[in-house]
Amino acid sequence: MTTRHADVAREMARLATEIERHNYLYYVKDDPVVPDAEYDRLLRELEKLEKAHPELAADDSPTRRVGARADEGFREVTHEIPMLSLANAFDPEEVAEFDERIRRRLECEVVEYVAEPKLDGLAVSLLYENGRLVRGATRGDGRAGEDVTANVRVIRSIPLKLRGEKLPTRLEVRGEVLMTRKGFERLNRRQDENDGKRYANPRNAAAGSLRQLDPAITAQRPLEFYAYGTGVFDGVKWPETHAGVLELLGEFGLRTNPHREVVEGLDGLLRAWESLNARRDELPYEIDGVVYKVNDLALQERLGFVSRAPRWALAHKFAAQEELTRVRAIEVQVGRTGAITPVARLEPVFVGGVTVSNATLHNYDEIKRLDVRVGDSVIVRRAGDVIPEVVSVLHERRPKNSREWNFPEKCPVCGSDIVFDEGGVIARCSGGLFCDAQVKETIKHFASRRAMDIEGLGSKLVEQMVDAGVIKTVADIFELDKETLVSLERLGEKSADNLLAAIDAARKTTLPRFLFALGIPQIGETTAGQLASYFGHLDAIMSAGEEALQEVPDIGPVVAHNVVEFFAQDHNREVIDALVDKAKIAWPAVQRVADDARLKGKTFVLTGSLSGMSRTEAREKLVALGAKVSSSVSGKTDYVVAGADPGSKLDKAERLGVAVIDEDALMEMLQ
Ligand code: D41
């Protein structure tokens, strides 16, 4: 063997050992230390080396098995028909090759597929004999898994008896057991309270919950099941397509995923992927891609499988939402109300579709819980529009000389003392409007789209103007002149003119917007709207006591206190006077909601986009008629207004039997 050969062999052995260790942590312990993306990379790297040097590939290489053997404690179940694995694709080219391969083998022009969400749970097999559930097993390594019959029996979406007259004598249903995001968060909170182990993500929580030796524990875990296919079946006429099989399983009383779609050809596949990718975060559970399957079962049979994966199926993955990177520094950020948030400055990493270089650490408690230090390797997560966060630390990779991070005692921006609230969790800068960070955030919020909507007055410009001493309060915005603006770096004449016009336009606003723009702690758009319609006038709100404020729907003692506190501050009153008297900010009179208002006491939820007005306008109009507009659907919701491309709120409304109306019906109500 040459030196180079020996090096390659050593590298392959290293990769194999590393992958096996991750396999053990993932499959046996349900407690992985690296994100899936890192695991996939290791596996692909080993595969690449094995391809280039087949003579060095070990017979027992981890690339040759997917999954893991059973842990002790559960009886082993050998699957009568092996549970195959899925080939992966990460980009459209790989999907095109998949479709081409199939068309070539079948010698046909267009293939019909089913595209279904790839649920991020764990695969299980359920055996029904004469309609009764007799056995549940994990997939394990595909050949054999663990007998988890007692545990699957406690999952409510798994029927113990199938419905219908003509039932198969034997039927093996295959599907995924998963935990919803909400269920996962609830579980971790409960684990924290009981000093139990936290789970890294919903999938591990599902796996850990299903593989409890005591089914009573499994019963307390919010697990759900969705069927995606079958193994053995005897005794009934069988459908000719995969879509037909799913339909039939539904008739038997099994839950199948409603977001599946029958599509044609490569275009159909990619469109389905785009659509699910866009709606990924609206689903109540995590999905990590789309599974494509040839619809016709006879064609599936003709295609067969290679090395344990069917040729007729493919998992087209989404961008990973978790990645591995390193913490360069830990700093704190000061928010609008002085709340101080620690943030990790990271080595930039591509995750969730964007490059991330900052992640929130939430608060001091979280830092202690994670035990994170500068120099640590961490897993960052970015899901949808949610702020990226550090989810865990790879303590075994910690550099030797690292030191514990201590919360600063002084505000890094203004030098004032940092104080902690009673609970000791939330830190605040005590500098108030003496703190430039708070001033900047207050002004940014005031100018933002949903507040005063001053176009062109963005984050960077506000910071520049505060740093230059051009503005100190939100009222100063309305004193700006062209000369001052063009003296600022990066602001040309044209932009200055546009900005002045936008500022002028903002003088005409609405009372709810104005109240929201003031940035009173915990007063969001909804509460601002309710305050406006309950009191009708700004003066009335400013002079209301805590008791009167609590008469407003949804305002409790804490928010009422915040409002009183805010208006009690001289500097806030001065700014409001300057805005109203000097800057001439004005709004149309607000109709107080009469006790007999038409929509009084009705709760609405808006979803999807409206064509005739913005959601903000719709909300204002509804509130003016006495309605409450909520952000989530519950049993208390009276109407869900579904615009174009509605999200999961619509599904939920349908599930709960809440009335759903379209934009036309809404317009009629608003007339
Ligand atoms: O939602 C899933 N995770 C899912 C997994 C799915 N929708 N379909 C699947 N189909 C298969 C084949 C095509 C092999 C019957 C799968 C899986 N397999 C699978 N799950 C875990 C390993 C393989």
Side-chain angles (χ1 to χ4, degrees):
M1 225 193 266
T2 62
T3 330
R4 161 106 184 94
H5 236 68
D7 283 349
V8 172
R10 208 172 303 124
E11 176 61 7
M12 285 166 70
R14 186 191 70 80
L15 284 167
T17 312
E18 183 77 353
I19 292 165
E20 280 299 343
R21 192 172 68 92
H22 292 312
N23 266 342
Y24 171 76
L25 291 169
Y26 181 114
Y27 289 105
V28 181
K29 290 289 178 206
D30 299 320
D31 190 19
V33 296
V34 295
D36 288 1
E38 170 83 1
Y39 177 84
D40 284 348
R41 259 195 308 273
L42 292 170
L43 208 58
R44 287 194 155 209
E45 207 172 311
L46 182 56
E47 270 167 4
K48 209 173 78 194
L49 291 177
E50 286 177 349
K51 223 177 199 162
H53 305 272
E55 72 287 2
L56 294 178
D59 286 340
D60 60 353
S61 165
T63 59
R64 303 202 177 177
R65 76 187 181 106
V66 187
R69 271 183 301 275
D71 195 3
E72 290 158 27
F74 292 101
R75 213 164 47 86
E76 193 183 78
V77 172
T78 305
H79 300 296
E80 265 172 70
I81 301 175
M83 291 181 80
L84 299 177
S85 56
L86 280 168
N88 283 326
F90 295 88
D91 57 47
E93 282 75 59
E94 290 176 294
V95 181
E97 286 163 20
F98 164 76
D99 177 56
E100 228 161 80
R101 256 192 325 266
I102 288 174
R103 283 187 293 122
R104 200 167 349 104
R105 278 189 180 261
L106 298 177
E107 295 176 323
C108 68
E109 293 293 313
V110 195
V111 180
E112 187 176 87
Y113 298 98
V114 174
E116 56 195 39
K118 183 169 183 299
L119 307 174
D120 204 3
L122 73 153
V124 299
S125 142
L126 306 172
L127 184 62
Y128 287 90
E129 283 176 357
N130 299 311
R132 285 174 185 278
L133 176 66
V134 294
R135 199 196 65 202
T138 62
R139 175 175 177 277
D141 63 4
R143 182 195 61 81
E146 296 162 321
D147 186 330
V148 287
T149 309
N151 293 355
V152 297
R153 280 179 183 283
V154 304
I155 300 174
R156 290 201 194 87
S157 41
I158 295 182
L160 298 176
K161 260 162 80 180
L162 299 181
R163 304 162 67 99
E165 307 289 302
K166 289 193 302 285
L167 292 176
T169 45
R170 294 185 86 220
L171 171 67
E172 185 198 348
V173 179
R174 293 173 173 183
E176 292 273 312
V177 166
L178 59 81
M179 196 176 284
T180 61
R181 276 189 266 259
K182 281 231 171 79
F184 163 70
E185 278 158 26
R186 235 183 305 129
L187 173 60
N188 262 354
R189 245 180 283 133
R190 213 165 61 205
Q191 294 290 91
D192 281 349
E193 283 161 17
N194 304 329
D195 289 323
K197 163 187 133 177
R198 275 182 83 95
Y199 290 96
N201 54 49
R203 190 202 46 233
N204 297 125
S209 299
L210 189 65
R211 298 171 68 248
Q212 289 287 333
L213 292 172
D214 179 2
I217 298 181
T218 308
Q220 292 167 9
R221 303 288 176 84
L223 294 175
E224 319 228 357
F225 175 80
Y226 288 93
Y228 66 66
T230 56
V232 285
F233 58 86
D234 283 311
V236 280
K237 185 174 163 330
W238 206 241
E240 287 175 2
T241 61
H242 176 58
V245 169
L246 294 177
E247 192 81 22
L248 184 62
L249 292 178
E251 284 165 24
F252 289 155
L254 289 149
R255 178 138 64 151
T256 54
N257 196 284
H259 300 284
R260 62 180 184 262
E261 211 184 324
V262 176
V263 300
E264 282 194 348
L266 178 63
D267 281 354
L269 294 177
L270 297 178
R271 258 202 300 275
W273 187 89
E274 288 293 344
S275 157
L276 279 166
N277 190 31
R279 291 187 303 159
R280 176 181 191 184
D281 301 308
E282 292 167 22
L283 299 178
Y285 41 75
E286 300 202 330
I287 61 176
D288 61 346
V290 181
V291 185
Y292 305 142
K293 297 175 183 174
V294 170
N295 195 19
D296 189 313
L297 300 186
L299 296 183
Q300 286 188 1
E301 183 105 30
R302 268 176 60 195
L303 288 162
F305 55 90
V306 261
S307 69
R308 297 204 205 165
R311 281 201 191 89
W312 44 268
L314 185 73
H316 184 187
K317 298 288 217 62
F318 295 143
Q321 292 186 321
E322 288 187 358
E323 265 298 355
L324 197 59
T325 186
R326 204 182 298 274
V327 177
R328 283 180 173 167
I330 298 176
E331 291 171 2
V332 296
Q333 246 166 19
V334 189
R336 171 163 62 82
T337 58
I340 292 196
T341 312
V343 288
R345 308 286 179 209
L346 306 168
E347 274 169 23
V349 60
F350 192 73
V351 54
V354 297
T355 300
V356 165
S357 42
N358 301 297
T360 182
L361 290 164
H362 300 290
N363 53 51
Y364 200 14
D365 269 13
E366 178 75 357
I367 291 184
K368 285 186 278 194
R369 186 184 71 72
L370 289 169
D371 180 19
V372 58
R373 300 178 180 187
V374 174
D376 273 344
S377 295
V378 295
I379 296 174
V380 282
R381 178 178 174 80
R382 179 186 181 271
D385 296 332
V386 182
I387 300 167
E389 60 178 358
V390 171
V391 289
S392 59
V393 177
L394 274 62
H395 290 116
E396 52 175 30
R397 296 201 192 171
R398 171 169 283 169
K400 282 201 184 61
N401 57 359
S402 84
R403 276 190 312 188
E404 214 176 305
W405 184 81
N406 290 311
F407 214 92
E409 287 171 8
K410 305 277 184 201
C411 171
V413 177
C414 73
S416 304
D417 285 343
I418 289 177
V419 292
F420 280 85
D421 71 357
E422 298 94 75
V425 177
I426 298 181
R428 265 177 218 289
C429 160
S430 60
L433 291 181
F434 173 70
C435 178
D436 267 0
Q438 294 185 54
V439 171
K440 286 174 183 170
E441 294 310 312
T442 302
I443 297 173
K444 285 181 206 171
H445 171 76
F446 182 84
S448 66
R449 193 171 51 79
R450 283 150 58 210
M452 299 297 282
D453 193 19
I454 306 178
E455 212 182 311
L457 189 50
S459 195
K460 285 261 148 40
L461 193 54
V462 170
E463 291 185 8
Q464 203 188 345
M465 292 204 279
V466 173
D467 288 338
V470 172
I471 50 177
K472 291 192 182 63
T473 74
V474 295
D476 296 340
I477 296 171
F478 298 90
E479 304 283 311
L480 288 168
D481 54 28
K482 190 163 172 186
E483 202 185 335
T484 315
L485 287 180
V486 292
S487 75
L488 293 169
E489 231 177 297
R490 289 194 303 245
L491 203 70
E493 292 229 1
K494 186 94 182 34
S495 312
D497 284 335
N498 289 344
L499 181 56
L500 286 171
I503 291 171
D504 205 38
R507 288 181 220 265
K508 274 202 192 61
T509 183
T510 65
L511 182 54
R513 274 182 181 272
F514 182 76
L515 280 171
F516 173 61
L518 291 177
I520 306 165
Q522 290 179 45
I523 301 292
E525 285 170 285
T526 308
T527 320
Q530 272 160 351
L531 275 171
S533 30
Y534 186 88
F535 289 99
H537 287 281
L538 179 61
D539 291 340
I541 299 167
M542 288 177 71
S543 52
E546 292 189 19
E547 229 163 84
L549 286 163
Q550 285 185 56
E551 292 295 310
V552 180
D554 284 340
I555 292 195
V558 177
V559 176
H561 179 77
N562 284 341
V563 175
V564 169
E565 183 86 339
F566 183 87
F567 290 120
Q569 313 256 341
D570 282 343
H571 62 86
N572 287 337
R573 285 183 166 267
E574 279 160 25
V575 168
I576 292 168
D577 284 348
L579 288 171
V580 175
D581 298 336
K582 224 164 136 216
K584 302 278 183 261
I585 307 262
W587 49 84
V590 177
Q591 278 281 273
R592 276 194 62 181
V593 178
D595 287 338
D596 59 354
R598 208 149 29 85
L599 298 178
K600 183 118 188 164
K602 298 281 184 232
T603 302
F604 285 72
V605 172
L606 306 173
T607 177
S609 54
L610 304 174
S611 57
M613 61 176 113
S614 70
R615 291 230 291 243
T616 305
E617 275 176 274
R619 179 187 305 115
E620 283 171 7
K621 290 192 168 133
L622 283 166
V623 169
L625 289 172
K628 192 183 140 191
V629 181
S630 167
S631 58
S632 62
V633 181
S634 75
K636 291 192 199 130
T637 311
D638 293 293
Y639 298 101
V640 168
V641 181
D645 289 325
S648 58
K649 290 172 190 169
L650 180 59
D651 300 337
K652 183 148 184 211
E654 281 164 358
R655 228 175 21 251
L656 294 176
V658 172
V660 177
I661 61 172
D662 62 10
E663 187 170 350
D664 291 341
L666 172 69
M667 294 306 280
E668 217 159 280
M669 283 189 176
L670 294 176
Q671 286 299 303

